Amino acid sequence: MAKQLISSSETKCVYRDGDLAIKEFCEGFPKAEVLNEALCTARVEDLPGLHVPKVLSVSVMDGKWSITREFIEGKTLQQLMDENPDKVQEYMEQMVDLQIDIHSKACPLLNKLKEKTIRALQEEEQLDANTRYDLLTRLDGMPKHTKLCHGDFEPSNIIVAADGAMYVVDWVHASQGNASADVARTYLLLSLKDAKKAEMYMDMFCEKTGTEKRYVQGWLPIVAAAQLAKKRPEEKELLEKWVNVFPYE
């Protein structure tokens, strides 16, 4: 079976080669990020109750790093939502249930979300001193948890197999910390594409978990500012809007 392109972006391409999925990064992509993604995935792939495609190898050829993992036959949850708009609420509920299940796990070897966020806030040059201080102070006051957080949880990172099993990919930003920070990140990702779906998601998560919506919203400025450090052009405008918004005041 010839290698088939599954998806691509400016920094990477994902191919299928038989029973393998190969994520090939662009030349010059930081080695540390590739190895970190493989390590984070390896640390979560055997957690009970989760479906995570196993990492099989990490290699480099012609200056391009790649991660090879198990290929999962199926469609992403994003594809299913696009193909069946009348089932969006049903799919969203499945997604929220899956995220709640992830948050119920512990993975002590992962980096701590709070420490990662502090580093990002300190490194982001767009923040003025007052805003940085305010955000760091607010972060310090947030409850400290050690729940498994995906860090980039969205429908396109969920593969639904033929038997209905839901596999979660792209664990490069995984950490242990406060679940509401993870929810805030998902809310921002959904907002980039559809504000109504983002609100549906937020309401559904808060209702299912008994979490006060204002508490999750309180994470939005912190998470948005930390995400600016990742320099994703498609997110810049939305993130900047949220950095100085404190909806819980």
Side-chain angles (χ1 to χ4, degrees), residues 3-178:
K3 191 166 73 170
Q4 296 175 295
L5 179 66
I6 299 174
S7 64
S8 64
S9 67
E10 291 183 3
T11 58
K12 58 185 175 290
C13 293
V14 180
Y15 299 92
R16 178 183 181 179
D17 188 358
D19 293 331
L20 306 176
I22 303 169
K23 180 184 285 190
E24 183 180 278
F25 298 86
C26 65
E27 190 170 353
F29 192 86
K31 175 173 66 174
E33 291 191 29
V34 177
L35 297 177
N36 181 61
E37 177 171 349
L39 179 59
C40 287
T41 305
R43 284 177 167 164
V44 302
E45 64 185 26
D46 288 325
L47 290 177
L50 293 184
H51 297 292
V52 179
K54 293 183 182 299
V55 171
L56 302 175
S57 68
V58 179
S59 59
V60 60
M61 183 175 292
D62 298 328
K64 294 182 180 181
W65 285 87
S66 65
I67 298 174
T68 300
R69 62 167 172 79
E70 296 173 319
F71 176 79
I72 304 301
E73 188 78 56
K75 294 184 176 181
T76 68
L77 194 61
Q78 184 63 59
Q79 288 175 305
L80 292 174
M81 286 181 171
D82 292 341
E83 293 172 4
N84 306 282
D86 57 316
K87 293 185 176 181
V88 166
Q89 186 164 345
E90 176 186 335
Y91 292 139
M92 191 68 75
E93 186 163 0
Q94 293 174 3
M95 177 176 135
V96 169
D97 287 342
L98 176 58
Q99 190 173 30
I100 292 171
D101 188 37
I102 290 172
H103 292 161
S104 73
K105 312 299 181 185
C107 193
L109 293 177
L110 290 176
N111 289 330
K112 290 184 169 56
L113 185 149
K114 182 179 179 181
E115 293 176 0
K116 288 179 61 177
T117 305
I118 289 173
R119 287 196 297 271
L121 293 177
Q122 290 174 336
E123 293 170 1
E124 180 46 53
E125 66 274 6
Q126 285 186 233
L127 300 177
D128 61 69
N130 290 334
T131 301
R132 192 189 321 276
Y133 176 80
D134 194 11
L135 292 169
L136 287 168
T137 300
R138 292 168 186 274
L139 174 61
D140 188 59
M142 291 297 192
K144 299 168 181 61
H145 299 159
T146 55
K147 296 180 179 181
L148 174 59
C149 298
H150 182 275
D152 221 9
F153 191 77
E154 60 171 329
S156 61
N157 283 334
I158 302 167
I159 301 172
V160 183
D163 63 359
M166 304 180 84
Y167 289 77
V168 184
V169 299
D170 288 351
W171 290 87
V172 62
H173 301 297
S175 62
Q176 50 177 327
N178 192 305

